[in-house]
Amino acid sequence: MCDYLLLLVMIEINEALSLINGQAWAHRSVRVKTVQSVGHVIFEPIYAQLDLPSFDNSAMDGYAVFGDGTKFKLVGEIAAGQIIYDRLKAGEAMRIFTGARVPEGTSAVVKQELAILNGDQLTVSSVSKGDHIRRQAEEVRQGQLLLEAGHCISPASVGLLLSQGIVSVNVHASPKVSVLVTGDELVDPENALVKGQIFESNGGMLVAALMEQNVTEVSLLRVKDDLDQIKNQIDILLGESDILLISGGVSVGAYDYVKEGLEANGVNEIFYRVLQKPGKPLYFGRKENAFVFGLPGNPCAALTCFNIYVKALLAKLQGKSMLCAEIPLAEAHTAKGTKPVLLRAKITDGKATVLKNQSSSMLTTYVGGNGLILLQPGEYQAGTQVTVWYS
Ligand code: AMP
Ligand code: MG
């Protein structure tokens, strides 16, 4: 097909992303341990089980005093975690440490630096009522909303949940993903290489990319460029996956059987071929509740399509939103060709520098970057705002 006709049957990047984001999906939840929940998204609101703090306690190492004078009698000591609970009388003071429960009657905690102790006689410069006492429920009141549904759990949220004694949470279940790698020329990197063959690297790379997105149920299978094998494996994997990623064989070469294999299995094509470089032959389809991506075999193209499109679907299924940003170009750049380009870039100090030597097969450039930027063909001055996906 000539280039002009190809342009007519390709869809644009934004259109492809809207088709992915528009897919209906019945979200499922799963209970996970709070300590293993970082990066997951909360499925239903979580309410506070305790006041925070759950008792009045000292914010300082110092003295709990009763009264507003400057002289007190020291009657004891209370440390963090100590169960004893004394009551102060007027004119009395107690040595106290950060986090310890303040005795009843305490007017304030006086910092130890501002107090002089002589025997059991304590002299302070002044007492300001309520000073250095963390009041019960001043941060959180029992029953109040602690974390909203849709909140993506961070280390801070893990800490907050644990401070409430909440040791497990309901989160959006991550999809089950299968990776099917095609290609006669590919050898498992564990085996020896024969001339004309290459090590199969997309499989492990995609598994790693999935793990980075908190997908834990992943399987990896390799098949030859053989229509029957491809058809059979697609049939089996569709039955056990929410998402099937197929690497290679989706282009128009004589041994590219993936599309035929998907059609034979009744997968409905949602789009095929995107107006972009790299990753033009990208395929996206669905059969009932299983989604399929046909990713190009070229490693960079495969990873670029993963970083833009597969991540968008994963985010949707995991209850997250996928973020892109607008940032300025650090240097002038000319985007050659006729298609929009997704370029590997290094983002530093909030500016994107396009990396040299970009080719859909070269991962070395990819490794040096931390984002993908989108440019329409044309010339760009330094400072031009561009869309970036961090990856
Ligand atoms: P294909 O999309 O199957 O036509 O493959 C395009 C290019 O990517 C060819 O040069 C393949 O050798 C290479 N390639 C395909 N699959 C892989 C893979 N799993 N690992 C590394 N390179 C691959
Ligand atoms: Mg191939």
Side-chain angles (χ1 to χ4, degrees):
M1 209 181 295
C2 77
D3 249 20
Y4 173 69
L5 282 177
L6 260 182
L7 286 182
L8 293 180
V9 292
M10 284 192 262
I11 68 162
E12 305 216 352
I13 293 173
N14 282 344
E15 221 180 313
L17 283 171
S18 330
L19 284 167
I20 292 171
N21 287 324
Q23 294 299 310
W25 178 250
H27 288 276
R28 305 185 299 252
S29 72
V30 64
R31 196 144 198 103
V32 294
K33 287 190 165 175
T34 301
V35 288
Q36 286 160 3
S37 68
V38 73
H40 289 277
V41 172
I42 287 183
F43 196 75
E44 58 214 351
I46 296 179
Y47 296 92
Q49 300 189 355
L50 300 172
D51 288 342
L52 281 182
S54 52
F55 50 88
D56 291 353
N57 69 89
S58 177
M60 290 283 168
D61 292 328
Y63 298 90
V65 298
F66 186 161
D68 53 8
T70 56
K71 299 229 180 287
F72 297 89
K73 180 173 183 236
L74 191 71
V75 295
E77 176 182 297
I78 179 162
Q82 227 167 320
I83 312 282
I84 59 151
Y85 189 52
D86 289 309
R87 162 179 281 279
L88 286 177
K89 297 193 202 85
E92 286 183 345
M94 209 176 270
R95 181 89 171 101
I96 195 162
F97 299 94
T98 307
R101 183 171 184 166
V102 296
E104 242 174 84
T106 301
S107 313
V109 170
V110 179
K111 279 204 258 188
Q112 64 188 33
E113 298 90 308
L114 302 178
I116 297 163
L117 187 64
N118 191 355
D120 65 355
Q121 293 304 302
L122 184 76
T123 307
V124 302
S125 44
S126 66
V127 173
S128 171
K129 200 164 168 29
D131 251 13
H132 308 309
I133 299 175
R134 298 191 284 223
R135 292 289 176 199
Q136 176 166 352
E138 73 179 19
E139 185 185 358
V140 171
R141 189 160 294 283
Q142 185 183 21
Q144 85 171 60
L145 180 66
L146 196 66
L147 294 172
E148 291 178 336
H151 170 84
C152 185
I153 298 175
S154 65
S157 355
V158 170
L160 182 60
L161 289 164
L162 294 176
S163 74
Q164 286 277 317
I166 299 172
V167 293
S168 68
V169 276
N170 257 350
V171 296
H172 282 262
S174 268
K176 283 188 192 170
V177 185
S178 299
V179 179
L180 179 65
V181 172
T182 71
D184 283 346
E185 75 281 32
L186 306 171
V187 176
D188 184 328
E190 300 274 352
N191 297 337
L193 206 56
V194 174
K195 256 216 159 33
Q197 297 182 323
I198 60 167
F199 283 130
E200 194 286 294
S201 56
N202 285 354
M205 175 177 76
L206 292 169
V207 170
L210 288 162
M211 286 166 65
E212 202 181 45
Q213 298 308 307
N214 269 331
V215 179
T216 47
E217 288 185 82
V218 185
S219 67
L220 169 60
L221 206 97
R222 301 181 174 109
V223 286
K224 293 283 176 200
D225 289 318
D226 174 279
L227 182 57
D228 282 337
Q229 269 193 47
I230 291 175
K231 259 199 308 209
N232 289 341
Q233 287 309 327
I234 289 175
D235 180 30
I236 295 167
L237 296 175
L238 279 175
E240 51 192 48
S241 326
D242 298 309
I243 303 176
L244 169 58
L245 302 181
I246 307 177
S247 156
V250 75
S251 201
V252 290
Y255 300 96
D256 290 338
Y257 294 124
V258 167
K259 243 189 124 249
E260 208 177 325
L262 290 167
E263 273 157 21
N265 274 291
V267 177
N268 296 311
E269 178 185 312
I270 298 168
F271 63 77
Y272 176 46
R273 294 202 187 99
V274 181
L275 187 60
Q276 63 181 6
K277 190 172 179 247
K280 182 183 75 185
L282 177 66
Y283 172 99
F284 179 56
R286 180 172 189 168
K287 184 179 179 187
E288 292 149 18
N289 280 330
F291 297 97
V292 182
F293 281 100
L295 302 171
N298 269 315
C300 269
L303 193 53
T304 297
C305 289
F306 183 95
N307 278 327
I308 307 288
Y309 303 98
V310 181
K311 269 194 193 169
L313 182 67
L314 285 174
K316 183 183 168 79
L317 269 48
Q318 292 172 326
K320 297 180 190 171
S321 42
M322 183 164 141
L323 301 177
C324 57
E326 298 287 314
I327 61 165
L329 280 180
E331 295 164 6
H333 186 81
T334 302
K336 299 196 188 103
T338 52
K339 294 192 215 68
V341 279
L342 290 160
L343 293 168
R344 197 67 185 149
K346 175 113 185 158
I347 294 124
T348 37
D349 299 331
K351 290 183 185 167
T353 305
V354 179
L355 297 175
K356 304 234 165 2
N357 295 330
Q358 310 237 1
S359 140
S360 49
S361 61
M362 290 184 186
L363 276 177
T364 37
T365 307
Y366 222 97
V367 169
N370 56 353
L372 288 166
I373 63 163
L374 171 62
L375 289 181
Q376 301 298 325
E379 287 181 17
Y380 296 89
Q381 300 300 318
T384 311
Q385 292 289 119
V386 295
T387 304
V388 61
W389 288 266
Y390 291 91
S391 56

